[in-house]
Amino acid sequence: LLDLSLNQKNPNFRFSGHETFACRYAWLPKAYRAIETDSGIFFNEDAAMVELGIGKNMVRSLRFWVDAMGIARPAAERTHALTDLGHTIFGQNGADPFLEETKTLWLLHWALSSAAAPALFAWHYLLGAWPYPEFSRSEALSGFLRQSQRLGYSHSSVTLSQHLDIFLHSYVSARSGRVGVEDSLDGPLVELRLLQQTGERRSDSGRWEPVYAFRREPKPEIPNELFAYSLLDYWDRVAPAEKTILVRTIVSAPGAPGQAFKLPEDDVRSRLEALARDGRFGFSYRPSAIQGLLTRESIVRANAKVIYQNEAIIHG
């Protein structure tokens, strides 16, 4: 029986590598095509700058995002190997090579918030372990300092501050009169409206600052196929030998679908009921107000292609 508490063994974390750039819309398709042509492109920064048309720090940032979002993995002899996920989205017959579908953006969000290895600290902490319904930047940064020190890290406040800003910039539009044109280019995950500004309040220094909260409501734009993929992916990573998992784990454990997507418990339970009726995923569901259980009757592996199967049928 799989029961992952909020105090599960701490994974390794990444706090940097993004070079203070959030991922941008055109970057991942460009990176996929570049690696497909030259698997060593990101290990030759001068060539990558020419091929991708971006500066050296952006090349390093894109290399970070390609790995964090699971599009490619470092391979032997200073090369990258494109992943099944990368091929499914961006390949020659890819399901969404220009990131036009919301479910693809949720899939990339899933990769960042749960599947990235090592985990991204800001995503793990704010999505999985932040104990309050909302936060300001200064409150989150104080939490970063406390939590990272508790885990044995000694990062400077500058590093933590930059990491927090990348998280915020990934989900909240940066368009304002106070930022330059280049820095105001929003990334794809802003469209998810997962993180929203709910107001302002004074920080300890007396300055007014935005207050943010995650959108915790049912999200019909996340299809059950994507929910099933994320559940299988999570299960295979944290406890591949277990046949049973508690519903409360799916709802509230860091990195689990309920937390990563910020879904209410009722929505998670209704999705589990639907998946149990759908024979493709091998689930059976035993609902209980106290301790519901999900069982894998047969081992089905996470396959991103199933998320787009209707389109595949339509397009042949």
Side-chain angles (χ1 to χ4, degrees):
L1 177 64
L2 175 57
D3 178 13
L4 293 180
S5 73
L6 296 183
N7 295 316
Q8 62 183 299
K9 184 179 179 181
N10 293 312
N12 294 322
F13 291 110
R14 280 185 283 190
F15 294 80
S16 59
H18 37 63
E19 299 288 327
T20 74
F21 293 104
C23 189
R24 299 181 181 177
Y25 249 110
W27 280 10
L28 295 180
K30 276 187 176 182
Y32 177 91
R33 292 192 297 269
I35 294 171
E36 190 176 37
T37 302
D38 177 4
S39 61
I41 187 72
F42 279 97
F43 294 90
N44 184 342
E45 290 181 346
D46 290 337
M49 289 167 60
V50 173
E51 177 66 25
L52 299 168
I54 56 179
K56 183 173 290 188
N57 285 354
M58 287 186 175
V59 166
R60 293 172 180 171
S61 177
L62 179 48
R63 177 177 170 178
F64 171 90
W65 292 115
V66 161
D67 177 61
M69 291 188 180
I71 305 305
R73 298 291 185 214
E77 298 179 355
R78 294 169 58 82
T79 62
H80 274 101
L82 294 165
T83 63
D84 288 341
L85 179 62
H87 291 312
T88 297
I89 299 173
F90 300 109
Q92 186 174 1
N93 297 309
D96 190 15
F98 301 107
L99 301 181
E100 297 171 307
E101 296 195 47
T102 301
K103 61 187 173 184
T104 306
L105 305 183
W106 280 114
L107 177 57
L108 294 175
H109 163 76
W110 170 256
L112 281 178
S113 57
S114 182
L120 278 61
F121 176 80
W123 274 255
H124 180 90
Y125 182 52
L126 289 175
L127 283 163
W130 182 256
Y132 308 109
E134 56 187 18
F135 64 89
S136 66
R137 185 183 181 282
S138 61
E139 289 167 344
L141 184 56
S142 295
F144 276 27
L145 285 164
R146 290 192 302 271
Q147 183 72 354
S148 63
Q149 289 173 357
R150 187 181 74 80
L151 294 173
Y153 294 97
S154 58
H155 293 294
S156 71
S157 59
V158 172
T159 296
L160 296 176
S161 178
Q162 289 175 342
H163 188 50
L164 172 58
D165 285 342
I166 289 302
F167 179 87
L168 294 174
H169 194 176
S170 294
Y171 294 97
V172 180
S173 177
R175 293 174 191 146
S176 78
R178 292 177 293 176
V179 298
V181 173
E182 183 67 14
D183 289 333
S184 71
L185 298 175
D186 290 335
L189 302 186
V190 169
E191 287 196 20
L192 300 178
R193 300 183 295 109
L194 178 63
L195 187 63
Q196 300 178 322
Q197 184 176 341
T198 57
E200 289 187 327
R201 60 169 166 250
R202 289 187 185 275
S203 67
D204 291 341
S205 66
R207 297 177 60 183
W208 287 94
E209 60 179 350
V211 175
Y212 303 102
F214 291 108
R215 179 166 62 92
R216 298 175 182 268
E217 60 186 30
K219 297 178 175 67
E221 70 272 23
I222 299 176
N224 279 343
E225 288 85 358
L226 173 52
F227 184 83
Y229 168 86
S230 64
L231 178 54
L232 289 167
D233 178 46
Y234 173 76
W235 203 330
D236 285 343
R237 281 186 284 106
V238 300
E242 298 287 346
K243 288 191 65 178
T244 307
I245 186 172
L246 293 175
V247 172
R248 73 162 179 259
T249 296
I250 301 169
V251 171
S252 59
Q259 281 288 66
F261 295 134
K262 294 301 176 188
L263 297 174
E265 182 172 347
D266 286 349
D267 188 34
V268 171
R269 288 179 178 270
S270 67
R271 288 174 182 270
L272 295 179
E273 289 175 359
L275 293 180
R277 293 192 298 267
D278 184 336
R280 291 175 294 168
F281 303 104
F283 291 135
S284 67
Y285 173 54
R286 193 179 82 195
S288 167
I290 299 173
Q291 189 159 293
L293 295 173
L294 188 71
T295 301
R296 293 204 278 193
E297 300 294 346
S298 58
I299 300 298
V300 178
R301 298 301 178 192
N303 183 349
K305 291 179 182 177
V306 75
I307 299 167
Y308 303 96
Q309 65 180 2
N310 293 334
E311 286 81 355
I313 293 169
I314 291 169
H315 297 123

